[in-house]
Amino acid sequence: MVTLFRVSLGLMLLWLSSSLPVLAADTPPSLDPVAKAIANMDTAQADVLDDYWSQHYAQAPPDWQMRWHLLRCEVAHMESNGDEIQRQISEGKALAARMDNPVVPLYLNLCQSRYHYSQNHYELALNVQDDVINRAIDLGDPTLLALAYTDRAVTRSDSGYVARAIDDLTLALRQAELVQKMPWQEVSLAQIYFVFGRTFYYLENYARADESIKQAIQLVDPDTPLAWFIRFNYATILAGQERLPEAQHQLDRLNDNPPHFGKFYQGYVELFQAELLFRLNRPSDAIPLARRAAMDFARVDLTAPYAKALIIEGQSNVMLGNHEQGWAKIEQAQTLLAEVEENQGDWGYLAKSWRWAARYHHQQGNDTDAYLAMEQYAKVYTRFLEKQQSDQLAQQQQKLSQEVDRHRQRLVSSSEAQFQLEQSLLMWRGSSVVLGLIVMGVFIWRFWPVTHNKAAETPPEDWREHLVQLMNLSRQNERPLSVILARDADHPISRLVAQLERDLRPSDRVLQPDRHTALLLLDQATEGELAWRLASLTDLMRNSGRTDVMLAKARVHGFDDPESLLSRLEYELISQSIPSRSDPQSGV
């Protein structure tokens, strides 16, 4: 009997020992910590996800598997691994199609758009982001919208549409506040505020840029790669404003956990740090960093940044008294930079090196060498300006061409619907024309004696005179003048004047050309303030339920008259109204 009991107990223990691991394997680990780490730019999560693949993927439920593909795509994007991105998008979308999941493919499309952006394919990125946002609005996913608006703001600001980026970031922040749970990806408020700061910097609104980035630093976990990324980029922004001690302060507070964006990212970090230390008159500290950066770039055959690192190293040696070694490196770098810049058309850094050489020789009393260096500087800088103007003209032409193409596509898509509508109304018009004439005759006969003397409502006669006067003052005093046009086609604009005048300065004006239109004239408004006021008015109209109010903005140029200014504003309104026929979400 005892023997039988022992055998039964042994069999039970054997069954439990074999079944418990299976039960544990059926419950894969949560991906929430991985998603949070990826939102904080932790590329080391690639190894974690790869381990999960081998240990848990096959037994995991479909939602876990789809999220795994999405997160693995995000890490591949940060590592600039295009092949891995395409593999995860393909497998993730196939799984989502089997599960009839409409949300995950949009997250994967957003991952694809980020890779397009990293490869400088801004137009492709914007097209994908526009599509994701339009479809995410229908799905009502605030997490996806917050991420997509933030990404589009980055792409727009780098494409030259900086004011529109502010609108996107305002929407991103609002969507982030609506998020209650994040089953697929994490939204980082710190990253949204950092992008705000970056965009304000492009608008030359440096006070707002500082405020936003400092807010991002307060929100971010200080030990994460995202914290390192924000502080490092803040240092580059400060250095661009010649605020060198503040930039160095941010570098000194970097943590030991930087993100790893590809095999030569570290070289650019070291190059920037070396240049900053050199500008802070710390050449001995700059040399080892410049040398390491040069070796990093030499390994991956990047000639231009390699030459720039050589210049920093050479200049530092010259400042320390090692003239022969220093000038040899500078001359070697200038030769390399002239060759590679001749192909790329950007001679800015080469010109900068010649200007430094001329200044140094002049300070040392070597006027002949200083004169020769200045000759080279003038030659190279002239070439740099020519190429810069050519590139800017090409970019403007490309933007104009893209805008024309977009308007053509919108017109084509809206024209067919308009044609069908007109066809359906044609018969009604024909059958009702006689009846309409009869009714009109009765109406005129009945009401003409009463109404013929009634004065029609007309807009104020002096609005155009005020506009001309303010434009002339702007030109005479060389004060920037900006205009925001607000139009409510269904209601008198006078009902909104109190809201439009909110927070205006004494020198600002509100004019009413007609019952449905108002012009806000903003004296000395910067690009940043103009974009911010437009975003604020957009929010104000939406929050008050006035989604039918349309807004347009413009800067007043020296060649403007009232007609040309109003024409540009009308064109912007028309550009907004064209897609609104097929996209009811694009109101204000």
Side-chain angles (χ1 to χ4, degrees), residues 12-314:
M12 183 177 294
L13 291 174
L14 180 62
W15 178 81
L16 286 173
S17 65
S18 61
S19 63
L20 284 177
V22 173
L23 291 174
D26 286 341
T27 305
S30 172
L31 290 174
D32 288 347
V34 178
K36 185 174 183 179
I38 290 174
N40 283 297
M41 294 187 174
D42 185 0
T43 53
Q45 296 303 308
D47 295 334
V48 176
L49 289 170
D50 290 345
D51 289 341
Y52 284 179
W53 167 271
S54 58
Q55 298 178 24
H56 307 287
Y57 183 90
Q59 295 82 22
D63 281 359
W64 191 97
Q65 293 176 336
M66 287 188 288
R67 193 180 191 190
W68 184 93
H69 286 294
L70 174 59
L71 296 175
R72 191 64 185 85
C73 184
E74 289 300 318
V75 179
H77 145 64
M78 288 191 288
E79 295 177 331
S80 298
N81 189 339
D83 293 339
E84 185 67 22
I85 289 172
Q86 294 304 323
R87 180 163 49 252
Q88 298 307 328
I89 289 175
S90 176
E91 295 177 3
K93 285 188 174 181
L95 179 58
R98 291 197 298 271
M99 294 295 105
D100 195 24
N101 185 304
V103 178
V104 168
L106 298 183
Y107 280 94
L108 291 167
N109 286 347
L110 202 58
C111 180
Q112 176 74 71
S113 77
R114 291 169 177 169
Y115 182 67
H116 288 323
Y117 167 81
S118 69
Q119 302 301 303
N120 298 325
H121 300 152
Y122 296 152
E123 187 67 20
L124 283 175
L126 281 173
N127 290 338
V128 177
Q129 289 156 1
D130 288 344
D131 180 68
V132 169
I133 288 171
N134 291 334
R135 295 166 65 184
I137 290 173
D138 295 333
L139 293 173
D141 188 331
T143 301
L144 180 57
L145 283 169
L147 295 169
Y149 280 129
T150 304
D151 287 358
R152 192 170 71 174
V154 173
T155 310
R156 277 180 163 176
S157 61
D158 286 3
S159 302
Y161 306 109
V162 188
R164 294 184 185 179
I166 294 291
D167 295 339
D168 277 344
L169 290 170
T170 304
L171 294 171
L173 201 56
R174 184 185 305 144
Q175 292 296 328
E177 293 170 352
L178 298 176
V179 172
Q180 296 180 349
K181 61 178 182 178
M182 293 177 274
W184 303 109
Q185 273 188 264
E186 288 278 332
V187 174
S188 170
L189 284 175
Q191 193 163 27
I192 294 176
Y193 275 102
F194 167 72
V195 179
F196 255 120
R198 178 181 184 268
T199 308
F200 279 126
Y201 174 71
Y202 286 162
L203 289 168
E204 299 182 2
N205 192 335
Y206 301 131
R208 285 277 192 173
D210 285 351
E211 178 185 342
S212 299
I213 297 178
K214 287 176 180 176
Q215 179 70 19
I217 291 174
Q218 290 179 357
L219 291 171
V220 73
D221 184 340
D223 298 324
T224 59
L226 179 59
W228 190 100
F229 178 84
I230 291 173
R231 283 194 182 275
F232 180 80
N233 280 274
Y234 190 28
T236 65
I237 287 174
L238 293 168
Q241 302 173 58
E242 297 298 326
R243 297 160 63 182
L244 303 182
E246 295 176 70
Q248 183 58 52
H249 174 71
Q250 294 301 324
L251 290 184
D252 292 340
R253 299 193 63 183
L254 293 177
N255 59 38
D256 295 327
N257 191 18
H260 298 282
F261 298 145
K263 54 190 176 182
F264 50 83
Y265 175 70
Q266 185 62 29
Y268 285 106
V269 173
E270 292 164 341
L271 177 60
F272 171 74
Q273 290 176 308
E275 184 176 8
L276 180 60
L277 289 168
F278 175 73
R279 292 167 66 187
L280 285 167
N281 199 25
R282 294 167 58 182
S284 59
D285 296 327
I287 287 176
L289 285 167
R291 192 170 294 154
R292 289 204 300 269
M295 289 189 293
D296 288 340
F297 293 128
R299 278 195 292 268
V300 292
D301 198 25
L302 289 173
T303 307
Y306 168 73
K308 294 175 183 179
L310 286 184
I311 286 176
I312 297 297
E313 183 182 355

